[in-house]
Amino acid sequence: MLAKDLFNVDAMLERLLPWVREESPTYHIAGVNRMMDLVSADLAKLGGTIERVPGTGGLADIVLARFAGREGTNSPGILILSHLDTIHPVGTLAGRLPLRRDSDRYFGPGIYDMKGGVAIAIEALKIVRENGGAQLPVTYMLIPDEEIGSPSSRERIEQEARAHRYVLVTEPCKNGVIVTGRFAFQRFWIDVEGRPAHAGATNRQGRSAIRAMAGLIERIENMTDFERGMTFSVGTIEGGTFVNVMPIRCRAQVLTVAPTQAIFDEVAARMAALESENDGITVKVERGPVRPLWQPHRQTMALYEKAHEIAANIGFRLDHGSFGGGSDGNFTGALGVATLDGLGVDGASAHTFEEHMLVSSMVPRCRLFAELLRTLD
């Protein structure tokens, strides 16, 4: 096992903090691509062969860095998956979530989900390469659009996963618990069209798409059944043109979660049943990106047992579970590829103005990651 004194938390923070200062919400293409520049430069310094895939669909680029295994082996290796996009809009750093440390907690946009995980993975890769190298080839893949379901990168993620033996995902861990399965996610667009009219003079002749959507939102979210793990959440809404015109169009985006395939199918059927045309109001439902159900399977659990043993030797207990938060691990796990997710830092409050990581989690998590890279065969 690699010596503990090889792992320096200050070195990891020195790498991480400039990345947190680079705000990179998914649709801020320049910011995400600057993150790609920063991280790919670090990977190139470690000797990685860099491939940059131009972004599609109005999104940022994908980056892959490839490293040979010990003695140049070309056998199927390890795929590391990290996303560099966040959900915090530009200005969050100067506003409600400044970069700051409070004892063990370090706050900042994207520091927990998931730039902290990227920092420990790259530090682990660096240490391993300086101390004999990984047994297997390693591909590090940087994703630009995970926070919106990875619409531009899913195909390439699945292509790479099929060519590798193991997948390690640097999403944050869940109170110290590693992820060996994730619920299925479906996104839907709801489009409502009404009937135009002057909002003052001929109001009663119109049909408001916004009003219809308001009722529809209640109906959609009331389909949530927490006991069964089936949830519906309307996350965005837009509509209307001028305040003196009856709004004839309104659009909303819905995120749904299902813990089983049967509930996944039920969710799809319920959403499709919302389509209607009645009294001047038309409702259409369009299915968006899907994250398939990933249930723990033999390959993943064998990989987990390896990680559990490594963690015990380091000095901490590593539990596992299935969770509702989606990730790119959904894609690889659903393919049957051995996948461990939640290998990033510990912390809390992802996607909020209290997002933070625990500095004390960096060294043990980095050591675990390094030992996986070093010993997997």
Side-chain angles (χ1 to χ4, degrees):
M1 180 167 285
L2 294 166
K4 182 179 179 180
D5 61 11
L6 293 173
F7 298 84
N8 186 294
V9 70
D10 292 329
M12 286 182 255
L13 288 172
E14 184 178 352
R15 185 189 306 279
L16 170 62
L17 299 182
W19 296 349
V20 181
R21 294 188 183 98
E22 185 62 67
E23 294 177 291
S24 55
T26 309
Y27 293 113
H28 182 41
I29 310 308
V32 179
N33 274 337
R34 281 195 292 270
M35 277 299 306
M36 293 290 173
D37 295 340
L38 291 169
V39 178
S40 60
D42 276 6
L43 292 168
K45 287 177 185 176
L46 297 184
T49 301
I50 306 298
E51 176 188 358
R52 187 145 179 165
V53 182
T56 60
L59 296 166
D61 301 344
I62 296 170
V63 167
L64 298 101
R66 301 190 191 274
F67 301 85
R70 205 173 298 158
E71 300 176 356
T73 176
N74 290 317
S75 61
I78 302 167
L79 176 64
I80 305 172
L81 287 177
S82 296
H83 69 85
L84 299 184
D85 62 321
T86 73
I87 59 88
H88 296 284
V90 173
T92 301
L93 195 62
R96 297 186 64 181
L97 185 51
L99 185 60
R100 70 191 191 281
R101 183 170 182 175
D102 178 7
S103 188
D104 192 31
R105 298 184 299 169
Y106 223 128
F107 293 80
I111 198 167
Y112 175 56
D113 184 15
M114 63 175 337
K115 293 178 180 180
V118 184
I120 66 170
I122 291 183
E123 186 68 11
L125 184 58
K126 173 180 178 290
I127 291 169
V128 168
R129 288 183 61 78
E130 291 173 347
N131 292 272
Q135 178 71 26
L136 296 175
V138 174
T139 299
Y140 203 137
M141 187 173 181
L142 304 172
I143 307 302
D145 57 350
E146 189 274 344
E147 294 293 4
I148 60 169
S150 307
S152 76
S153 53
R154 175 178 179 174
E155 183 177 352
R156 187 60 185 268
I157 291 168
E158 292 179 334
Q159 176 187 332
E160 291 293 331
R162 291 187 182 101
H164 288 76
R165 187 174 301 168
Y166 305 105
V167 178
L168 307 179
V169 187
T170 63
E171 290 283 355
C173 65
K174 310 284 187 179
N175 297 319
V177 178
I178 207 167
V179 180
T180 51
R182 289 190 183 272
F183 297 173
F185 281 68
Q186 300 176 80
R187 297 173 188 241
F188 298 89
W189 285 105
I190 308 294
D191 286 288
V192 175
E193 185 169 344
R195 182 189 299 158
H198 190 290
T202 56
N203 184 295
R204 70 175 60 192
Q205 296 175 14
R207 294 292 182 273
S208 167
I210 290 178
R211 180 177 180 180
M213 181 67 83
L216 198 57
I217 289 172
E218 277 291 303
R219 182 178 167 189
I220 291 169
E221 296 203 339
N222 282 339
M223 291 192 291
T224 291
D225 186 338
F226 291 115
E227 294 287 323
R228 299 173 63 205
M230 177 173 67
T231 63
F232 298 77
S233 176
V234 178
T236 67
I237 184 169
E238 56 186 18
T241 51
F242 296 93
V243 72
N244 59 346
V245 177
M246 293 291 285
I248 61 170
R249 288 186 180 85
C250 190
R251 195 170 209 227
Q253 189 176 21
V254 184
L255 182 69
T256 68
V257 180
T260 68
Q261 187 62 46
I263 293 177
F264 179 90
D265 295 338
E266 179 182 341
V267 165
R270 287 189 179 212
M271 292 301 297
L274 296 174
E275 289 204 342
S276 62
E277 188 171 348
N278 184 49
D279 191 29
I281 294 290
T282 301
V283 178
K284 294 183 178 179
V285 178
E286 175 190 351
R287 197 175 190 180
V290 171
R291 290 199 184 278
L293 180 68
W294 165 32
Q295 294 181 311
H297 46 66
R298 179 179 57 82
Q299 295 89 333
T300 284
M301 294 313 298
L303 180 54
Y304 163 71
E305 290 301 330
K306 173 79 169 177
H308 184 270
E309 181 181 349
I310 292 170
N313 289 334
I314 292 171
F316 69 96
R317 179 179 174 84
L318 188 69
D319 292 321
H320 73 97
S322 293
F323 296 93
S327 89
D328 292 325
N330 283 76
F331 303 136
T332 64
L335 290 174
V337 180
T339 301
L340 280 187
D341 202 340
L343 285 166
V345 294
D346 208 343
S349 303
H351 295 196
T352 76
F353 296 123
E354 293 297 318
E355 178 173 344
H356 65 272
M357 71 166 192
L358 300 179
V359 177
S360 60
S361 71
M362 297 189 82
V363 165
R365 290 279 157 174
C366 188
R367 293 182 70 191
L368 171 63
F369 209 99
E371 293 299 334
L372 286 168
L373 293 177
R374 191 178 69 87
T375 63
L376 285 175
D377 56 21

